[in-house]
Amino acid sequence: MKEPGLDNRHRDKNPPKAGEIQQKRSDTLNKNLPKPIPQFSPNAKLGTMRVETGKTSVEAVRRAAKRLRP
């Protein structure tokens, strides 16, 4: 069940995470993201990028990567 405006993700309907938007998997490659993050290698995994930036969401990782690597 897709909902508009959630980047093809859905909201979890079951407690305890009811209402939260599902996050991208950590084994997703940078080159497979809708807009790859240019500061990282195309083959970098999202989990690695999350560890390096300390952020969870893809948009937060993108913003933090701009500050880390100009």
Side-chain angles (χ1 to χ4, degrees), residues 10-11 18-20 27-28 31 44 59-60 62 67-68:
H10 69 276
R11 290 188 187 273
E20 289 185 18
D27 63 347
T28 302
K31 65 183 175 185
E59 286 305 315
R62 185 180 313 280
R67 284 185 239 121
L68 289 177

Side-chain angles (χ1 to χ4, degrees), residues 4-67:
L6 295 178
D7 192 26
N8 295 322
R9 294 172 287 157
H10 69 276
R11 290 188 187 273
D12 196 346
K13 307 286 187 212
N14 303 320
K17 294 185 176 184
E20 289 185 18
I21 298 172
Q22 178 186 10
Q23 295 293 321
K24 290 277 190 187
R25 292 174 40 150
S26 63
D27 63 347
T28 302
L29 296 177
N30 188 21
K31 65 183 175 185
N32 294 334
L33 293 174
K35 293 189 307 186
I37 302 170
Q39 290 83 2
F40 289 99
S41 161
N43 293 323
K45 292 184 179 179
L46 184 54
T48 305
M49 294 186 280
R50 286 176 173 160
V51 168
E52 286 189 30
T53 59
K55 304 295 181 184
T56 304
S57 72
V58 176
E59 286 305 315
V61 169
R62 185 180 313 280
R63 287 189 298 269
K66 285 181 182 177
R67 284 185 239 121

